[in-house]
Amino acid sequence: MDIRCRKTVCKFNDRFTCKAKGILINGKVICESFVNDSLNKKDIDTTKKLFDKIPTYAPQRDSKTICIECKANCLFNHNGKCVSNGITLNAIKEKAFCISFLKK
């Protein structure tokens, strides 16, 4: 499973890959595992220089090494576990939204 996070100020974000032991997506499609670490990390807006410099990504994680719980009314929610091939968390405002969400 490919787990991409665009929330670059998160404590668990390593070059756009989530390194948390587990992820919880709540009923409002927000990642509750997000921990703001803006004092130690800077917010990287890759869209400004998208065609100038290619961003570096950490290797993808195996889905067996991370537990992804989901409480959203999502097509990929199977008994509280995410069964998607991959998830992406977006960097909209202060929250980290799961943009892989598809309403049932």
Side-chain angles (χ1 to χ4, degrees):
M1 175 181 285
D2 191 20
I3 305 159
R4 294 291 172 203
C5 182
R6 296 179 184 155
K7 203 69 175 159
T8 55
V9 294
C10 182
K11 173 183 177 181
F12 303 113
N13 189 318
D14 176 21
R15 294 171 289 150
F16 304 100
T17 298
C18 181
K19 297 296 183 178
K21 291 183 180 180
I23 296 174
L24 172 60
I25 305 297
N26 69 18
K28 295 181 180 179
V29 196
I30 297 171
C31 178
E32 289 191 0
S33 305
F34 167 69
V35 177
N36 191 333
D37 193 21
S38 60
L39 295 176
N40 297 318
K41 292 185 171 189
K42 52 184 173 173
D43 195 12
I44 303 165
D45 185 0
T46 56
T47 58
K48 289 182 181 178
K49 297 181 181 181
L50 187 63
F51 299 106
D52 295 336
K53 183 180 177 186
I54 299 171
T56 60
Y57 294 97
Q60 88 176 33
R61 294 182 65 191
D62 187 356
S63 61
K64 295 175 185 172
T65 63
I66 186 168
C67 175
I68 302 175
E69 296 180 68
C70 183
K71 295 183 179 179
N73 186 24
C74 181
L75 182 67
F76 302 116
N77 183 346
H78 182 69
N79 296 325
K81 301 287 182 195
C82 181
V83 294
S84 173
N85 287 336
I87 66 169
T88 300
L89 300 173
N90 205 358
I92 301 173
K93 299 183 182 179
E94 303 85 33
K95 309 276 186 197
F97 290 91
C98 178
I99 59 173
S100 303
F101 169 77
L102 289 174
K103 189 174 180 179
K104 277 187 183 178

